[in-house]
């Protein structure tokens, strides 16, 4: 009887250890995926910033008009795009950071990301508006 109990206990111990190893591997894979996602988000933000700076640095175009042996040089400025307000920038950044944070912290990833994104957008928009007001004054 003692041998049967010992065999049963050791079988349960072996089976329970396998679940912990699998759970640890899943957590590690999840963390790695979160790191990859945050790196992709940071690269996308940098790409947007770089493209905005590139548009800002484009030189104006020069047009030469020839009329009756007279050369007239006119400079024609490139039409500038409307800049994003601080509120919009803050809302975008806040939504991204809030969604990532909400997904990481919450057990329900989708719901956490949604709530975090909305809260982050609200806080970011408010902060951007305050910063815009300070720049104007």
């Amino acid at each position: 009887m003692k041998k049967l109990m010992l065999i049963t206990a050791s079988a349960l111990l072996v089976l329970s250890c396998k679940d912990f190893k699998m759970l640890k591997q899943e957590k590690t894979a999840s963390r790695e995926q979160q790191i990859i996602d945050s790196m992709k988000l940071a690269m996308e933000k940098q790409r947007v910033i770089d493209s905005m700076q590139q548009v800002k640095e484009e030189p104006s175009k020069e047009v030469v008009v020839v009329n009756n042996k007279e050369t007239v040089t006119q400079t024609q400025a490139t039409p500038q795009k409307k800049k994003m307000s601080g509120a919009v920038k803050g809302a975008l950044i806040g939504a991204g950071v809030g969604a990532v944070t909400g997904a990481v912290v919450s057990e329900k990833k989708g719901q956490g990301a949604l709530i975090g994104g909305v809260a982050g957008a609200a806080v970011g928009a408010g902060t951007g508006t305050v910063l815009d007001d300070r720049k104007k004054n």
Side-chain angles (χ1 to χ4, degrees):
M1 185 68 174
K2 288 183 180 181
K3 288 183 182 179
L4 182 61
M5 294 291 273
L6 184 61
I7 292 172
T8 305
S10 45
L12 288 174
L13 182 64
V14 169
L15 290 176
S16 65
C17 291
K18 287 184 180 179
D19 290 340
F20 288 121
K21 288 180 183 177
M22 195 178 275
L23 182 62
K24 186 176 180 180
Q25 289 174 351
E26 289 175 2
K27 284 184 179 181
T28 304
S30 175
R31 287 181 187 152
E32 289 174 354
Q33 186 62 39
Q34 290 171 356
I35 291 170
I36 291 170
D37 290 343
S38 67
M39 289 172 54
K40 286 181 181 178
L41 181 64
M43 288 188 323
E44 181 64 22
K45 286 180 186 177
Q46 187 61 42
R47 186 190 64 79
V48 170
I49 291 170
D50 291 343
S51 67
M52 290 173 62
Q53 288 177 348
Q54 187 179 28
V55 168
K56 188 186 256 186
E57 295 173 357
E58 284 183 3
S60 62
K61 295 179 181 176
E62 187 173 311
V63 178
V64 177
V65 178
V66 178
N67 192 9
N68 294 333
K69 296 183 183 181
E70 292 180 19
T71 305
V72 179
T73 305
Q74 296 177 348
T75 58
Q76 189 178 42
T78 56
Q80 291 187 353
K81 295 181 181 179
K82 286 187 174 181
K83 294 182 180 179
M84 277 197 291
S85 68
V88 173
K89 286 182 190 177
L92 290 174
I93 293 170
V97 171
V100 170
T101 304
V104 169
V105 172
S106 177
E107 290 180 13
K108 296 180 180 177
K109 301 299 179 197
Q111 185 179 7
L114 183 65
I115 292 171
V118 171
V123 170
T127 304
T129 303
V130 169
L131 292 177
D132 277 348
D133 290 342
R134 284 187 183 172
K135 283 182 183 178
K136 287 180 182 177
N137 293 333

